[in-house]
Amino acid sequence: MSLTRRKLLHLLGLLGAPTVFLLIFFFGPLVIMLVYSFLTPGIYGGVDWIFSHLNYGRILGWADTRYEKFDPVYLAIFLRSLRLATLTVATSLIVSYPAAFWISRMRPGRRDFAIFLVTLPFFVSLIVRLFAWVLILRPTGFLNQGLMGIGLTSEPIEFLYTDFAVVLGMTYVFIPFMFLPLYSSIEKLDMAQLEASSDLGATRLQTFRKVVLPATMPGIIGGSIITFIPALGNFIVPSVLGGAKVLMIGNLIEQQFLSARNWPFGSALAMMVMTAVLVLLIVQLRLTRRGEHA
Amino acid sequence: MPSHLEIINARKAFRTPEGGRLIALDGISLRLATAEFVTLLGPSGCGKTTLLRTISGFETLDDGDVVIDGIAMTQTPAHRRPVNTVFQRYALFDHMNVARNVGYALEIAGRDKREIRTRVGEMLELVGLTGMEKRSISQLSGGQQQRVALARALAGKPKLLLLDEPLSALDKNLRQKMQHELKTIQRELGIGFVFVTHDQEEALTMSDRIAVLAHGQIQQVEPPSVLYQRPANLFTADFLGESNLLRATLDGSQARLSDGQTFDAPRAAGEATLLLRPESLGFAVPEGPKLSFTGRIRETYYSGKDHQIELETLAFGTIRAVIRANGTVPEIGREVTLHASATGLHLIDEVAP
Ligand SMILES: Nc1ncnc2c1ncn2[C@@H]1O[C@H](COP(=O)(O)OP(=O)(O)OP(=O)(O)O)[C@@H](O)[C@H]1O
Ligand SMILES: [Mg+2]
């Protein structure tokens, strides 16, 4: 009895602080956002405690009052965010997978150094790094000058403020997020199994499809999710590299809170992002469950 | 008899992480007749696994060639060689269940589902794992995993099977059963086996021929009985079974042991080593010429079917003998004389340094 009590106290001591922290700083704001998204914006910012579902109506199509009017642009921006985040996941996966494979087969010393290099960008401010991309991509930037210099193009190409620039920037920012989980599952890959597969007649491609891919699927799923979530809500990359042309949902939310001062609408937009992420997590859970049973 | 597998002067050196060069295969030549069962026997690290890997195509030779059914394999990648392997560390696909592991070669070959299922069932029955199709690899014991590895390698009907210590994780009974099964499978399917084992008894009972390896070289390749009775050098004599190795001086017609005993040895004069297997020594006095050793019994070991005796002699140090256990247990400390017939003795043209 006293032993279990002590164990319980011990557990409380260990988990108490993080639990309280999460309750106050994670669930608290979430609940506030959820509540706000069903309120009416105050005239001078803040909220009036009057229930309203029109914040969602503005996004999804049933609001039709003078101030709260449905505009398909919000949904379009939301869909674009989903598309750009998905593209970011795809490109970082394509870049990271071979890199992780290659690095995992290096000698230990070089391997650690290579992993250090992958995480190196974390040491420099994100804003600085993104402005470096502006210098590269703008009409008079390195890329255009290079292309014109070797005669491939005669006029500068609009790289900056396009979907391309945003996906490029986000891929650049989130590659470590994709790389590390991928690496940890690829590193565990048993080379002997690849040999066994080839011994039993499989070509490299077949071995990849039937052995490598299934064995590293946890890393692919994990990396994709922790890349997708911040990419979906990101507003720094689109505001620097997308400008006003490539707005993402994160920019919209930022505007609602900081410029338009319409907190309820901003909250409703944020809840849309939350819902998308939750749906994704549920799908992932289903997928991995099924994977375990097979 | 046509040769099925031919290894010609295979050489392979590894660069070690410490910067040195390690010669794993030092000019190995070996032929395997169709449906022959050849065992590679040798101490740990002598290059057995490396040799198998050059046959299956996972190591490229520095020099020499591997020829299967008359076709040089140097340019053939592993997946197109008609060879399957039972790996020393199994290398089972742990994200697949037992059935998919065993059916993998057929799945790759694009066979239809029903055929695969039937064949997998047959293979599992063969290795005594009937009904385990749906198990995941992590739910199997080490011995069961080893048998899945065996079933997986056999399912695709390879022309040549390479087995790297395939029975090492099994208990004695299962091991004996599998030894018989393997031998039967090999004979019935008529495929060649290159078999690696550390177990001498296993090598002796199963093989058509045994190749003894040491330091990346083949010491001797012979049928088990020849290898046991007439080893070519001291290493083979010592490695395979128990032996008494006595130095002998030859004068062209006679050999003389260090205590003065002589026996007929019509061969060139010089130094040589006499091999006396423990079971050729006994208390009974044989007819005709004989060798005798007198000494004190230092130790006896009882093994169920026989007694092993260590005799302490003045001239030769310890001499080992094996006496069938039929009642009379020799006493430790007693002075006795052991005899061996002096006909058909085997001399090795090499002396211990
Ligand atoms: N990839 C490699 N790099 C460097 N050295 C190697 C490599 N593979 C094997 N060796 C070395 O080559 C020698 C032969 O190895 P091999 O695995 O063929 O031995 P083995 O006879 O199978 O031993 P065991 O009976 O213990 O399995 C060993 O000394 C080993 O350390
Ligand atoms: Mg080995």
Side-chain angles (χ1 to χ4, degrees):
Chain A
M1 182 67 190
S2 78
L3 191 79
T4 49
R5 209 93 148 250
R6 267 180 60 181
K7 264 192 182 164
L8 207 69
L9 276 178
H10 190 68
L11 212 67
L12 264 180
L14 279 175
L15 295 180
T19 310
V20 170
F21 183 90
L22 278 179
L23 276 179
I24 295 178
F25 294 104
F26 183 71
F27 284 104
L30 267 183
V31 172
I32 293 174
M33 293 278 270
L34 184 63
V35 172
Y36 274 25
S37 72
F38 287 104
L39 295 179
T40 312
I43 301 170
Y44 306 107
V47 291
D48 286 342
W49 284 82
I50 304 163
F51 173 81
S52 160
H53 52 75
L54 292 181
N55 298 313
Y56 290 99
R58 274 179 83 181
I59 307 167
L60 298 172
W62 66 79
D64 197 17
T65 65
R66 183 142 179 260
Y67 295 108
E68 319 282 7
K69 216 170 169 48
F70 165 67
D71 189 336
V73 75
Y74 302 127
L75 211 53
I77 292 175
F78 184 60
L79 291 180
R80 174 199 287 152
S81 304
L82 286 175
R83 182 165 53 86
L84 294 188
T86 309
L87 274 173
T88 302
V89 167
T91 44
S92 14
L93 185 62
I94 290 169
V95 174
S96 303
Y97 203 96
F101 220 99
W102 181 53
I103 291 176
S104 71
R105 302 291 164 249
M106 284 180 174
R107 279 190 278 116
R110 293 181 62 180
R111 194 170 59 204
D112 296 343
F113 184 66
I115 292 170
F116 167 72
L117 285 184
V118 171
T119 55
L120 197 61
F122 284 138
F123 292 84
V124 180
S125 153
L126 176 62
I127 302 292
V128 172
R129 287 184 282 143
L130 287 179
F131 275 105
W133 275 110
V134 174
L135 296 184
I136 296 171
L137 296 177
R138 67 183 175 170
T140 54
F142 300 120
L143 186 55
N144 271 313
Q145 282 185 353
L147 285 177
M148 290 191 293
I150 57 171
L152 269 177
T153 56
S154 53
E155 280 171 22
I157 300 174
E158 282 288 340
F159 289 119
L160 207 52
Y161 312 132
T162 58
D163 285 6
F164 168 76
V166 173
V167 171
L168 180 71
M170 291 208 292
T171 303
Y172 166 73
V173 171
F174 293 120
I175 268 188
F177 289 63
M178 178 62 91
F179 177 86
L180 293 173
L182 261 187
Y183 177 81
S184 75
S185 74
I186 289 178
E187 192 201 19
K188 274 185 268 163
L189 197 67
D190 180 9
M191 288 311 280
Q193 285 182 30
L194 308 197
E195 288 192 348
S197 168
S198 142
D199 188 68
L200 294 163
T203 61
R204 276 159 174 267
L205 193 66
Q206 284 172 317
T207 300
F208 181 76
R209 272 193 14 239
K210 292 184 183 279
V211 180
V212 180
L213 211 52
T216 54
M217 202 39 100
I220 295 175
I221 292 176
S224 298
I225 282 178
I226 66 166
T227 307
F228 184 82
I229 292 172
L232 184 64
N234 193 278
F235 65 92
I236 300 174
V237 177
S239 58
V240 176
L241 297 176
K245 284 192 200 153
V246 190
L247 223 54
M248 281 179 66
I249 188 104
N251 305 91
L252 208 57
I253 295 171
E254 184 215 5
Q255 280 176 10
Q256 293 306 317
F257 276 95
L258 300 183
S259 332
R261 300 193 58 77
N262 187 342
W263 291 6
F265 186 50
S267 304
L269 288 168
M271 284 301 131
M272 294 286 297
V273 177
M274 274 284 302
T275 312
V277 167
L278 272 180
V279 167
L280 186 75
L281 287 181
I282 290 167
V283 168
Q284 182 242 347
L285 217 65
R286 284 274 163 84
L287 279 180
T288 43
R289 284 255 178 81
R290 177 137 25 104
E292 274 162 23
H293 287 303
Chain B
M1 223 172 176
S3 68
H4 177 37
L5 165 72
E6 196 171 351
I7 299 162
I8 307 159
N9 192 30
R11 288 180 187 282
K12 174 79 189 174
F14 289 112
R15 266 218 317 267
T16 59
E18 301 86 54
R21 248 169 62 91
L22 192 146
I23 297 174
L25 303 179
D26 192 7
I28 286 193
S29 295
L30 182 67
R31 283 159 161 272
L32 205 80
T34 307
E36 193 181 15
F37 192 128
V38 169
T39 296
L40 305 179
L41 188 67
S44 184
C46 69
K48 304 182 295 290
T49 298
T50 307
L51 186 58
L52 289 194
R53 288 172 60 80
T54 64
I55 302 171
S56 54
F58 296 119
E59 300 285 357
T60 45
L61 287 172
D62 297 338
D63 192 19
D65 215 340
V66 172
V67 180
I68 298 176
D69 286 337
I71 301 164
M73 288 285 139
T74 324
Q75 303 298 326
T76 311
H79 71 270
R80 284 207 255 114
R81 298 194 183 190
V83 175
N84 284 353
T85 308
V86 181
F87 290 89
Q88 190 165 7
R89 270 164 282 185
Y90 321 153
L92 296 173
F93 307 123
D94 44 25
H95 61 281
M96 299 179 192
N97 62 19
V98 168
R100 271 200 72 202
N101 264 281
V102 175
Y104 191 80
L106 302 173
E107 185 184 325
I108 290 296
R111 303 295 176 73
D112 70 61
K113 287 223 164 67
R114 186 153 358 122
E115 186 191 338
I116 295 179
R117 201 168 334 124
T118 320
R119 181 94 181 130
V120 166
E122 284 169 21
M123 286 297 116
L124 288 182
E125 193 188 332
L126 192 69
V127 297
L129 293 176
T130 308
M132 297 247 192
E133 276 93 343
K134 291 276 174 291
R135 289 277 194 101
S136 83
I137 297 303
S138 58
Q139 292 170 331
L140 299 178
S141 73
Q144 288 169 337
Q145 291 184 13
Q146 206 161 43
R147 284 180 281 156
V148 173
L150 190 61
R152 182 179 69 173
L154 280 170
K157 298 186 180 159
K159 284 186 187 172
L160 181 63
L161 193 66
L162 311 177
L163 306 99
D164 203 346
E165 302 186 32
L167 307 178
S168 61
L170 307 183
D171 65 60
K172 193 157 181 276
N173 287 335
L174 193 54
R175 198 182 168 112
Q176 267 174 2
K177 180 176 166 275
M178 289 300 298
Q179 285 174 357
H180 293 150
E181 292 286 1
L182 270 182
K183 196 69 195 153
T184 315
I185 292 167
Q186 188 256 340
R187 236 193 330 258
E188 279 175 3
L189 299 182
I191 61 181
F193 271 33
V194 182
F195 187 90
V196 169
T197 180
H198 272 142
D199 184 333
Q200 300 178 11
E201 214 170 305
E202 189 167 284
L204 290 171
T205 52
M206 296 181 76
S207 323
D208 293 327
R209 283 187 306 152
I210 299 175
V212 178
L213 264 73
H215 315 299
Q217 292 174 331
I218 288 192
Q219 304 294 319
Q220 193 173 4
V221 196
E222 291 293 348
S225 59
V226 176
L227 197 70
Y228 186 75
Q229 283 154 20
R230 318 203 79 80
N233 56 30
L234 288 179
F235 178 86
T236 310
D238 209 26
F239 190 73
L240 202 72
E242 296 267 334
S243 53
N244 297 299
L245 296 167
L246 311 179
R247 202 186 183 108
T249 309
L250 311 177
D251 63 6
S253 63
Q254 289 252 304
R256 177 185 300 275
L257 296 178
S258 58
D259 66 348
Q261 293 192 76
T262 56
F263 56 93
D264 286 344
R267 38 171 46 211
E271 296 281 308
T273 303
L274 170 67
L275 170 74
L276 274 182
R277 292 290 185 192
E279 57 275 12
S280 63
L281 286 156
F283 291 121
V285 183
E287 285 174 26
K290 61 180 186 293
L291 293 174
S292 305
F293 305 92
T294 304
R296 218 169 270 288
I297 294 183
R298 200 180 62 182
E299 204 68 75
T300 63
Y301 306 95
Y302 178 61
S303 78
K305 58 176 190 283
D306 49 33
H307 290 286
Q308 294 174 33
I309 298 174
E310 283 185 1
L311 192 72
E312 194 62 36
T313 62
L314 272 178
F316 308 103
T318 306
I319 284 195
R320 286 168 222 282
V322 173
I323 314 287
R324 287 199 63 83
N326 46 9
T328 51
V329 187
E331 265 172 56
I332 293 176
R334 244 180 60 191
E335 192 167 280
V336 295
T337 301
L338 289 165
H339 306 279
S341 164
T343 49
L345 290 173
H346 179 58
L347 280 166
I348 299 165
D349 288 322
E350 193 183 355
V351 289

